[in-house]
Amino acid sequence: MRVTIWAVLAFAALGAGSLMGLASPAAADPYDYPWCIQGRQQGYPGYCGFQTYQQCQATASGQDASCGYNPRFAFGPQRMPPRVIR
């Protein structure tokens, strides 16, 4: 009976450990860039993989798309400047 209880506990711990590995946060790329291409194919907010407006415009040219500011940047937490200790 003791062996069965330990086997069940070990199996539960192994399952919980694997679930914790699956719950890790997603990679920041490409959603941490400030410019998104938006259109019929991309939807909203679209593909947010552009560091500059010019990069986004170059990709959007020739498509039924435009560029907009990434809402994660616009409405995300504000970055505080470093404090100066005097």
Side-chain angles (χ1 to χ4, degrees):
M1 185 71 175
R2 276 186 179 223
V3 175
T4 306
I5 292 173
W6 284 109
V8 169
L9 288 175
F11 184 69
L14 182 64
S18 66
L19 286 177
M20 291 300 287
L22 293 175
S24 63
D29 190 31
Y31 294 104
D32 281 339
Y33 292 115
W35 295 101
C36 304
I37 186 170
Q38 301 165 349
R40 288 184 183 198
Q41 293 177 343
Q42 294 82 14
Y44 182 81
Y47 174 68
C48 301
F50 303 99
Q51 292 179 341
T52 65
Y53 184 72
Q54 289 78 16
Q55 289 174 340
C56 184
Q57 284 289 350
T59 305
S61 67
Q63 300 181 28
D64 186 21
S66 61
C67 295
Y69 200 67
N70 186 347
R72 292 179 192 230
F73 266 67
F75 302 109
Q78 299 297 316
R79 294 190 178 115
M80 298 293 291
R83 293 181 63 183
V84 178
I85 300 174
R86 297 180 187 179

